[in-house]
Amino acid sequence: MKTVNKLVFLLALSAIAVSCHNKENPNYQYMPNMYQSVGYETYSESKAFRNGKEGQLPPDGTIKRGYVPYEYPNTTDGYNAAKANLKSPLDSTAVDMDKAGQLFNIYCAICHGEKGDGKGNLSKREKFLGVPSYKDRVITEGSVFHVETFGLNSMGSYANQLDTHERWMVAAYVMKLKSEL
C-alpha cells in the first residue's frame, strides 16, 4: 500500500509541476540574444564596427558566390579581343547539345529563328528588323559569348538569365547552327 501511495503522490506532484509551466513564456533563457537578436537600423551608427556605421562594404577582392569574373570589357575593343582570343572552357563532352538547343529556343529563337537564319517570330512580325543570319556574320564562340554577356545593338545581355556554363553551351550551339547554314 505504501508503494501505491508513493506512486500517487509522485504523479500528483508531477502533474502540478507540469501544469504550471508556460511553454510560450519560459522562465529563463540561456542566451537571450539568440532568441531576440539585436536589430540594427540600416546605415545607423553602431559601436559594433570600427568606423561606427552599421552598413559595411565587402572587403576588396570579394566576389559573390557562383560569380565567375569576366576579363573583357563592354567595349568595341573588348568585343574584338573576345572574338579573336576567347575560347570556350568546355570540352565537347561538357556541351549537352540538346540542353543547349532548348536554351537557344527559349532565349534566342524568338529573334534569331530556330535555324539561326534571322527569321524568328519577332523578325517576321517586324517588331525587330535587321536580325542577321549567322551565316552572314563573322562570329566565333568568344564573340557570341561576349554578346550574350553584355548584349550588342538591340540585343540585351542574357547574363542574368543564363549562367556562364549555359552561355558557353548556347555559344557552341550557335556555332553548330552557323556550320549548318
Side-chain angles (χ1 to χ4, degrees):
M1 189 74 174
K2 289 183 179 182
T3 313
V4 173
N5 287 340
K6 286 182 183 177
L7 185 60
V8 169
F9 176 73
L10 287 174
L11 284 173
L13 184 63
S14 63
I16 291 170
V18 170
S19 66
C20 295
H21 181 68
N22 182 356
K23 291 182 180 179
E24 294 189 15
N25 189 10
N27 296 333
Y28 63 90
Q29 294 177 348
Y30 177 62
M31 291 185 162
N33 285 348
M34 290 180 68
Y35 296 101
Q36 291 122 9
S37 63
V38 177
Y40 292 104
E41 190 66 35
T42 306
Y43 304 116
S44 65
E45 293 182 11
S46 171
K47 294 179 183 175
F49 302 101
R50 286 185 189 158
N51 63 357
K53 290 188 287 185
E54 184 275 329
Q56 300 292 303
L57 294 174
D60 290 337
T62 302
I63 58 173
K64 71 178 189 172
R65 184 174 298 173
Y67 176 76
V68 177
Y70 184 63
E71 61 193 50
Y72 295 94
N74 186 12
T75 62
T76 304
D77 291 337
Y79 171 78
N80 291 331
K83 186 177 192 177
N85 303 321
L86 189 59
K87 304 290 182 214
S88 175
L90 307 178
D91 62 2
S92 60
T93 60
V95 178
D96 180 2
M97 281 298 174
D98 292 334
K99 176 73 173 172
Q102 290 173 356
L103 292 171
F104 180 86
N105 288 332
I106 291 169
Y107 295 107
C108 311
I110 192 74
C111 294
H112 292 280
E114 291 184 6
K115 298 177 184 175
D117 55 6
K119 295 179 183 171
N121 282 338
L122 293 180
S123 297
K124 288 178 188 175
R125 296 178 185 169
E126 298 180 354
K127 301 296 180 184
F128 287 105
L129 297 176
V131 177
S133 171
Y134 292 139
K135 78 173 182 177
D136 298 335
R137 302 293 300 238
V138 178
I139 57 175
T140 64
E141 270 186 326
S143 67
V144 173
F145 182 82
H146 187 82
V147 171
E148 290 172 337
T149 302
F150 289 121
L152 183 67
N153 299 332
S154 296
M155 181 179 153
S157 169
Y158 281 84
N160 286 334
Q161 290 88 352
L162 300 168
D163 64 24
T164 305
H165 181 78
E166 291 170 335
R167 289 196 310 271
W168 278 117
M169 287 187 359
V170 170
Y173 189 78
V174 166
M175 298 311 293
K176 176 182 174 272
L177 289 178
K178 180 178 172 55
S179 70
E180 293 172 354
L181 290 174

